[in-house]
Structures are given as C-alpha cells and as structure tokens.
C-alpha cells in the first residue's frame, strides 16, 4: 500500500470539468487498488463521502500534506503555484494530458499581442518546471507522447540514464487516456425529452456534451443544423452546458457567437437549445441517454492535433454514434472503427450532410452505437490507468532522479528567472537587432568561465537574471 496524494488544479465538486474529473477518477482507481489516497483541491468540495480522503490545500497547508505521502500526482499549474513540490521527498507523477501551452494560443487568440506573449511565457515556464522534476509523466495519446518526448529531450530528461532504464522510455512517459466508468450509464430521470420546452419523445436529439470553449467551433454546427432541419424538421441540437463550474473562468467568445448566430438564424428555442447550468458529474448519464447522436466540432489548428476531446469518451460510454470534426486522435478512432461520421473543418454543408445521413438512418445509428460501446469497454478508468497503477504499486525515482543523482544541465529550457530576465518588448518588424553592449558581453564571458556547478546553482542563476535585467534596462535607456 502506498500513500498517494492527488493534487487537483480546479474545483472538485459535483459539478466539475475534465481536469478535476480526471483527478477524481485517478483517486477512485488507486483507492480501489488498496492505496491510501488523498484527493486535494484548492477549493472546498461538496462531493458526498468517498472511499478516500477529500481535502483542501494552500501554500500554508501543502508542505505538511505532502510530507504524509510517498507519491504526488499533479497536473496543470500546480507546481507553478507551489514550487516547494520540486524539493519534496516524494515521487512526482506529472499528468500532461492537457498540453496547455497549445491551448493558451487559442484561449488568448483575440487578446492584445503583449498579453498573448505573456500567457505563452507563463505556460512554457510552468511546463518546464514540471518536466525537469517528474519521476513519471502521463499523457493522453501516442500523438501527445511524441510531442512531450520532444519537450523531455530538450530538457535533458531523455538521456543515457533514462534510456538504459527502459529503451522505450515508457518508464519515463506513458499513455493514460481519459477514461469512462467501468459501470454502464444508468438513467435516474429525464433530462432533455419532455423537460426542455419543444423537445419531445420523437425528436432527433443531437447532444453537445460539455462547455463551449474557444478551441471549439459551435457556429459551423449551428449553421449545419439550420440546413439539415429543412430535411429533418424534428432535429434538435442541445448544448448540455454553456458556462463553467469554475466561476473564475469567464464566458468565452465562441459561446457568445454561438448564441448570436442561433438567434440570427431563428433557431434558438426551435432547433437549438442552450442549457444554462453545468450538469453535475453523476447526472450526465441522464443527458447522454436522452440523446440520439453526440457531436463535437472544432477549428483546424495545432491544438486540435494534440487534443483529446474528453466529451467524446462520454458518447462512447452511452453507446452514441458520433459526428465530429476530423483531425484529432478520437476522430481517427471514430473513422477507423465506423463509430460515426467525421467532417472537414468549418463546413456547415458537411455537417448538414452528416446529420441528414446519420439522423435519417436509425439502423445505421444503432450499428454505430454498438461499435461505440465496444470501444468504450477498452477505455474504462481501471484499464487506461494501468501505467499509473503499476507505478504506485512500486514507486521508484526516475533513473536520472535517484539518490545522489545531480540534475543534468538543461540546454535551452527557460526557468522562472530566465523568463523574468527576457525582454518585455520586441523590436518592430524590419528593425535591425541591437548588439549587446560591453557590460553585457563582459558579464557573459565571465559567466562562461565559471565552473558549471556554480553556473547551475539556483541562487547564482537568480542573481544573474537580475543583473541581466538591469543591464537590459540600461541599454533601453541609451537608445
């Protein structure tokens, strides 16, 4: 038995989003394996009693909490906010299932460039801190694993020590997709049919099973519904959730645009319906089982390639055929296994055609649904979490993180101090780059002459960054 601490990044409540669901399900699986598990969140929880401990943490309580455990599982911005975890005497499992440096590109895509650059620097710094110090890394797909192997290589974590331990590097980073419950979904009460006005028992219900975020494309879907409704008058598109369980997350522009377009086309309340609240995790089966088709549409960008749309797992769990945009890992599965229809990005006509073809053929929907359920059987949480379960059964440090192992130098990965010393402004396009002045070049030469151990020390790096910032400001004033 191992003492395992799972540190969530957001609210762990009855109403929670994907990252917290993943933390919650990790805690459930590891607890079922007999480990003593604590699930901790920065916010109070309203979950009913669980077979594991549920608590809160902050900067004052976290050190004592960590000291009571042997393994810490974390994701997102946790280490960025609590850097003491880097020095804790525990085995660190870093969950990289959400490649948020790519997500940030989309999330801040309509902001001023200065804000976008700052957000990107913050995300790169947060990931850099994690990849330097983890003992095991998790990701959601083989595509993601390739992405993160590049990052780990740049951070010197792919090295002779980790390669000798396991030439496949699965001991360093392995795939743990998002999963589905091992128990089949069970209906507790109606959620859509006969509950939402103008959605009846005989209607064709197409479900958008989650929030509306900036990396999704609900507008193309709504326009496609407008076209398809001419052939399918009983077509009903239902957005299961429009907000976010974390009140700090503001309404995103895609949601505003979706509502505007639906109203402009006269579809709101007739063929398009928005549920205003976030559906509780234990209630989502009622919504899924009231649907005929699950849907997810997104834009064509780099975030898509490495994404893992967790709502589609719920569609599999509920035996739903799926219509989705092509381009990501789960879309590949849907196409390969004939679970539904994939469409090209940003084509209302392609969406409409898929809706008409699948919506008008009950036998095809049933066949796709059966294949959907069969695929879900291989994606239960106990099955997909096998690498994490193996690690927690015998938690060992990474080969390059064992006792007496000094951290290898990182060739080009920015730390907090490096980024703090980076320029806050960038030269205009076409401007000739400025040449470092004499004080800067002298400092650089002196720095290179120092022993490597001194150069890599945290205190020296911090002091160096402060000096470089001062010199940088001095150069700016002279221009």
């Amino acid at each position: 038995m191992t003492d395992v601490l799972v540190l969530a990044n957001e609210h762990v409540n009855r109403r929670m989003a994907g990252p917290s669901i993943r933390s919650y399900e990790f805690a459930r699986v590891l607890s079922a394996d007999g480990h003593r598990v604590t699930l901790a969140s920065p916010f109070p929880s309203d979950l009913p009693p669980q077979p594991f401990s549920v608590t809160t943490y902050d900067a004052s309580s976290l050190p004592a909490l960590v000291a009571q455990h042997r393994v810490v599982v974390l994701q997102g911005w946790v280490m960025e906010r609590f850097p003491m975890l880097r020095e804790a005497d525990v085995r660190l499992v870093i969950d990289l299932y959400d490649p948020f440096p790519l997500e940030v590109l989309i999330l801040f895509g309509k902001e001023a460039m200065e804000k976008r650059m700052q957000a990107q620097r913050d995300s790169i710094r947060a990931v850099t801190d994690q990849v330097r110090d983890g003992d095991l890394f998790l990701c959601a797909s083989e595509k993601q694993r390739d992405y993160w192997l590049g990052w780990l290589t740049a951070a010197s974590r792919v090295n002779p020590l980790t390669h000798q331990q396991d030439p496949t590097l699965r001991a360093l980073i392995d795939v743990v997709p998002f999963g589905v419950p091992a128990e089949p979904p069970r209906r507790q009460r109606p959620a859509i049919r006969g509950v939402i006005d103008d959605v009846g028992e005989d209607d064709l219900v197409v479900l958008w099973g989650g929030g509306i975020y900036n990396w999704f494309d609900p507008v193309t879907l709504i326009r496609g519904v407008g076209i398809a409704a001419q052939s399918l008058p009983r077509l009903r598109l239902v957005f299961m959730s429009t907000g976010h369980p974390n009140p700090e997350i503001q309404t995103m522009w895609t949601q505003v645009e979706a509502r505007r377009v639906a109203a402009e086309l006269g579809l709101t309340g007739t063929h398009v319906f928005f549920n205003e609240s976030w559906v509780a995790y234990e209630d989502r089966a009622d919504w899924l089982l009231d649907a005929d088709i699950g849907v997810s549409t997104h834009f064509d960008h780099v975030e898509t390639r490495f994404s893992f749309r967790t709502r589609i797992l719920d569609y599999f769990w509920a035996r739903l055929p799926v219509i989705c945009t092509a381009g990501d890992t789960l879309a590949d599965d849907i196409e390969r296994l004939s679970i539904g229809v994939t469409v090209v990005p940003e084509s209302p006509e392609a969406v409409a055609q898929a809706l008409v073809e699948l919506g008008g053929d009950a036998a095809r929907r049933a066949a796709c649904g059966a294949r959907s359920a069969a695929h879900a059987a291989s994606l239960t949480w106990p099955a997909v979490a096998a690498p994490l379960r193996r690690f927690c059964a015998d938690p060992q440090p990474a080969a390059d993180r064992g006792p007496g192992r000094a951290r290898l130098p990182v060739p080009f990965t920015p730390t907090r101090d490096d980024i703090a010393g980076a320029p806050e402004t960038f030269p205009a396009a076409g401007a000739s780059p400025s040449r470092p002045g004499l004080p800067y070049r002298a400092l650089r030469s002196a720095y290179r002459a120092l022993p490597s151990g001194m150069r890599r020390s945290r205190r020296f790096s911090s002091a160096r960054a402060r000096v470089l910032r001062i010199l940088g400001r001095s150069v700016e004033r002279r221009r």
Side-chain angles (χ1 to χ4, degrees):
M1 181 180 66
T2 304
D3 294 312
V4 182
L5 174 61
V6 181
L7 291 176
N9 196 45
E10 296 182 352
H11 296 74
V12 179
N13 285 335
R14 293 179 61 250
R15 291 176 170 81
M16 52 186 167
S20 294
I21 291 171
R22 188 168 168 92
S23 296
Y24 169 76
E25 293 291 355
F26 280 175
R28 287 186 67 196
V29 167
L30 295 174
S31 177
D33 282 349
H35 300 299
R36 188 162 44 235
V37 179
T38 301
L39 173 60
S41 163
F43 311 97
S45 174
D46 64 359
L47 288 177
Q50 300 292 324
F52 47 85
S53 174
V54 179
T55 189
T56 59
Y57 69 91
D58 57 22
S60 62
S61 63
L62 186 58
L65 188 61
V66 169
Q68 299 168 22
H69 297 83
R70 188 179 177 194
V71 173
V72 174
V73 183
L74 60 89
Q75 61 175 249
W77 299 84
V78 173
M79 187 176 285
E80 162 76 4
R81 293 166 180 160
F82 303 97
M84 54 79 52
L85 290 164
R86 297 185 65 190
E87 307 300 331
D89 185 20
V90 293
R91 304 280 73 82
L92 287 176
V93 178
I94 309 296
D95 186 10
L96 299 170
Y97 99 100
D98 178 11
F100 57 88
L102 300 180
E103 188 177 279
V104 161
L105 294 172
I106 311 304
L107 190 61
F108 291 86
K110 292 186 177 295
E111 302 289 346
M113 184 56 70
E114 182 179 355
K115 186 173 182 179
R116 293 168 66 185
M117 293 297 294
Q118 183 59 53
Q120 192 66 17
R121 287 194 292 267
D122 290 345
S123 66
I124 290 173
R125 182 183 66 235
V127 171
T128 297
D129 285 345
Q130 294 180 53
V131 299
R132 286 186 170 194
D133 292 285
D135 293 293
L136 173 68
F137 299 91
L138 309 177
C139 59
S141 68
E142 292 295 338
K143 277 185 182 179
Q144 282 193 7
R145 187 169 185 267
D146 291 342
Y147 173 78
W148 290 120
L149 276 170
W151 206 308
L152 289 163
T153 300
S156 291
R157 296 306 309 275
V158 176
N159 56 58
L161 294 170
T162 53
H163 182 265
Q164 180 173 282
Q165 180 187 31
D166 176 7
T168 71
L169 296 176
R170 295 281 172 184
L172 181 66
I173 178 168
D174 211 342
V175 176
V176 175
F178 214 85
V180 300
E183 312 82 11
R186 291 184 174 86
R187 187 189 305 275
Q188 302 175 84
R189 63 189 70 86
I192 299 175
R193 301 175 190 273
V195 177
I196 298 177
D197 289 343
D198 293 322
V199 183
E201 291 296 329
D202 297 327
D203 288 335
L204 179 72
V205 175
V206 176
L207 182 67
W208 176 284
I212 304 176
Y213 307 133
N214 287 353
W215 41 91
F216 288 114
D217 179 16
V219 170
T220 292
L221 173 60
I222 290 168
R223 294 189 184 279
V225 165
I227 298 170
Q230 300 172 31
S231 301
L232 298 171
R234 304 194 73 86
L235 176 61
R236 304 291 187 266
L237 169 63
V238 176
F239 287 90
M240 189 170 83
S241 300
T242 52
H244 194 281
N246 184 349
E248 297 177 3
I249 295 181
Q250 298 178 351
T251 300
M252 300 196 182
W253 70 265
T254 45
Q255 181 187 151
V256 174
E257 187 67 4
R259 291 179 184 274
R260 185 191 68 78
V261 171
E264 183 181 88
L265 296 176
L267 299 174
T268 303
T270 56
H271 294 287
V272 178
F273 303 83
F274 296 94
N275 179 43
E276 300 300 333
S277 62
W278 191 270
V279 174
Y281 186 49
E282 70 267 23
D283 294 338
R284 75 196 190 287
D286 294 330
W287 291 74
L288 293 161
L289 295 175
D290 259 359
D292 296 295
I293 299 171
V295 68
S296 178
T297 48
H298 53 251
F299 298 106
D300 184 18
H301 43 54
V302 68
E303 186 271 345
T304 290
R305 176 170 179 77
F306 296 102
S307 67
F308 200 83
R309 308 294 185 205
T310 57
R311 66 194 61 195
I312 292 180
L313 274 295
D314 276 346
Y315 302 157
F316 296 161
W317 182 54
R319 300 179 63 94
L320 290 177
V322 182
I323 296 173
C324 70
T325 311
D328 65 10
T329 295
L330 291 176
D332 293 345
D333 288 346
I334 289 164
E335 192 169 296
R336 175 175 54 86
L337 299 172
S338 298
I339 290 172
V341 181
T342 61
V343 298
V344 296
E346 299 185 67
S347 172
E349 294 77 16
V351 170
Q353 181 178 345
L355 288 167
V356 171
E357 289 180 359
L358 197 55
D361 189 340
R364 183 181 177 188
R365 292 201 306 274
C368 289
R371 290 187 286 269
S372 186
H375 190 40
S378 67
L379 294 170
T380 63
W381 282 110
V384 300
L388 175 62
R389 296 170 67 191
R390 285 195 299 269
F391 181 85
C392 290
D394 183 25
Q396 298 296 323
D400 57 349
R401 287 293 179 270
R405 298 283 192 193
R407 288 184 176 90
L408 294 176
V410 178
F412 191 69
T413 29
T415 64
R416 284 185 183 81
D417 294 322
D418 295 331
I419 292 177
E424 297 177 0
T425 59
F426 297 86
S432 58
S434 59
R435 185 181 179 187
L438 180 61
Y440 183 98
R441 296 200 303 273
L443 176 65
R444 183 178 61 188
S445 298
Y447 169 74
R448 289 175 175 173
L450 292 172
S452 61
M454 181 180 294
R455 293 203 306 265
R456 291 197 302 270
S457 72
R458 186 176 303 174
R459 182 175 297 178
F460 183 85
S461 295
S462 178
R464 171 178 169 264
R466 286 195 295 271
V467 172
L468 291 178
R469 286 199 298 273
I470 293 169
L471 289 174
R473 294 189 190 106
S474 176
V475 169
E476 288 294 330
R477 284 195 295 268
R478 291 198 299 271
R479 288 178 187 167

